[in-house]
Amino acid sequence: MHPTLPAPAARLPGLALAGTAGAAALAVHALVPPLGATLVAVVLGFAAAASGRLPAAVRPGLAAAARGVLRVGVALLGLQLVLGEVLALGWPVLAVVLGVVVLGISATLLVARLLGVPPEQGLLVACGFSICGAAAVAALDGVRRSRAEDVARVVALVVVCGSAAMLAVPLVGAALGLSAEGTGAWAGASVHEVGQVVVAGGLAGGAALQVAVAVKLGRVLLLAPVLAVVALRTRREPHPDHADHHPGRAEHHPVHRPPLVPAFVLAFVGLVLLRALVPLPEVVLGAAGQVQAAALATAMFALGCSLDPAALRRTGRPLVVLALAASGCVALLGLPAAFLVG
């Protein structure tokens, strides 16, 4: 065992706490569907951190949940993808989906540079807002090993901005006279979290939900190649040191060279192909979906716990402006999907 890693027993208190909080978040979501489990879990984590009463004994388990459990959740996202439904959208819509991810990431990184936002934070915002929200942020952290407070800040922003988009897209779609299917396509192309897309599609009514989820899953499918590219770039960095973005701090990360394609990304791709090639029973898919939702809720609580309230107050205006700009950019890039479908 690596000397810096805590013994498995040391992780149990934190894992138990995160698992209990994740279950509570899922229960709240079941009672009040518009409140996504991710949102509830992150808020619970923030509240726990703000209380100042988290004992040191839970820290190792929370760290394990924020990384290891999160990777399980991201990998199981692959079983939600139905390639046939995504491909049935047609190449014009798929081109919009590709544009949202590629151009959204590129534009966000450019704006981050103009605003003076540290590159690591800019990359977290770019991937989170352009692909699949908090899951993408945390998955990127699994490749980059970003600072915990940076990850928690961006998760907070992506949840807040995504919740606002979840409500705004159906309202604006109705004001623009878009069809239900068109509004659903726009929601899938622009709203950040999968759960938020489900709510937005439901609010649009009609056949919007099915279209919204199919478009959104097209964006999720691009998580794997984006992470592979990021991992490749990270391996080429001679001395990745994220502490450079925070002068005055003595904390430094060791040189991190991730595998070219992380194991959880391979698992994600493998499960996508498995569902495409093998007729899996509904009971298996349902169970996997429950495990995936529980894993993400557990991980999001742990990420929320990692944010010091003082760090949240130190979130600078440039990062907030970048989050708003990223939301607006993704919304504009995704709008053509509404007219292609509707």
Side-chain angles (χ1 to χ4, degrees):
M1 180 179 295
H2 194 285
T4 62
L5 293 179
R11 301 190 185 103
L12 292 180
L15 287 171
L17 174 62
T20 301
L26 290 171
V28 171
H29 172 59
L31 292 172
V32 188
L35 293 178
T38 298
L39 170 62
V40 176
V42 168
V43 170
L44 289 175
F46 289 162
S51 71
R53 297 181 179 179
L54 284 173
V58 303
R59 297 295 180 185
L62 291 176
R67 290 189 182 275
V69 177
L70 182 279
R71 294 179 182 185
V72 173
V74 171
L76 288 175
L77 272 174
L79 285 178
Q80 292 190 12
L81 277 162
V82 183
L83 281 178
E85 293 182 1
V86 175
L87 296 177
L89 294 169
W91 291 112
V93 176
L94 293 177
V96 172
V97 170
L98 181 63
V100 167
V101 173
V102 175
L103 298 179
I105 291 175
S106 301
T108 301
L109 292 176
L110 175 60
V111 175
R113 192 176 301 115
L114 295 175
L115 293 172
V117 173
E120 193 69 21
Q121 294 180 6
L123 185 60
L124 290 169
V125 171
C127 292
F129 282 64
S130 300
I131 306 175
C132 57
V137 174
L140 182 67
D141 174 46
V143 173
R144 294 285 299 178
R145 293 188 182 176
S146 308
R147 288 183 180 276
E149 71 176 45
D150 285 345
V151 174
R153 284 173 177 171
V154 176
V155 165
L157 290 170
V158 81
V159 168
V160 170
C161 293
S163 297
M166 169 186 79
L167 300 174
V169 167
L171 292 175
V172 175
L176 293 176
L178 299 178
S179 67
E181 292 85 349
T183 301
W186 188 24
S190 59
V191 178
H192 311 322
E193 299 274 344
V194 174
Q196 293 165 346
V197 169
V198 171
V199 174
L203 292 175
L209 178 57
Q210 183 177 356
V211 175
V213 171
V215 173
K216 179 61 180 178
L217 292 181
R219 290 167 66 193
V220 175
L221 185 61
L222 294 174
L223 177 63
V226 170
L227 290 179
V229 170
V230 171
L232 178 60
R233 292 176 63 89
T234 301
R235 285 170 60 89
R236 291 177 175 174
E237 292 175 2
H239 299 290
D241 186 358
H242 308 317
D244 292 343
H245 306 314
H246 300 268
R249 290 196 174 192
E251 177 188 358
H252 293 273
H253 287 272
V255 173
H256 171 52
R257 300 204 181 278
L260 181 57
V261 182
F264 71 96
V265 177
L266 289 175
F268 170 86
V269 174
L271 291 176
V272 171
L273 295 175
L274 177 65
R275 175 150 192 192
L277 300 174
V278 179
L280 297 174
E282 286 299 322
V283 64
V284 172
L285 294 174
Q290 292 177 356
V291 173
Q292 184 264 335
L296 287 185
T298 297
M300 291 304 120
F301 172 80
L303 283 172
C305 289
S306 69
L307 182 61
D308 183 346
L312 185 59
R313 291 192 293 271
R314 290 197 302 269
T315 300
R317 182 178 298 178
L319 184 59
V320 175
V321 172
L322 177 63
L324 295 174
S327 282
C329 177
V330 169
L332 289 175
L333 289 171
L335 184 57
F339 301 100
L340 293 172
V341 171

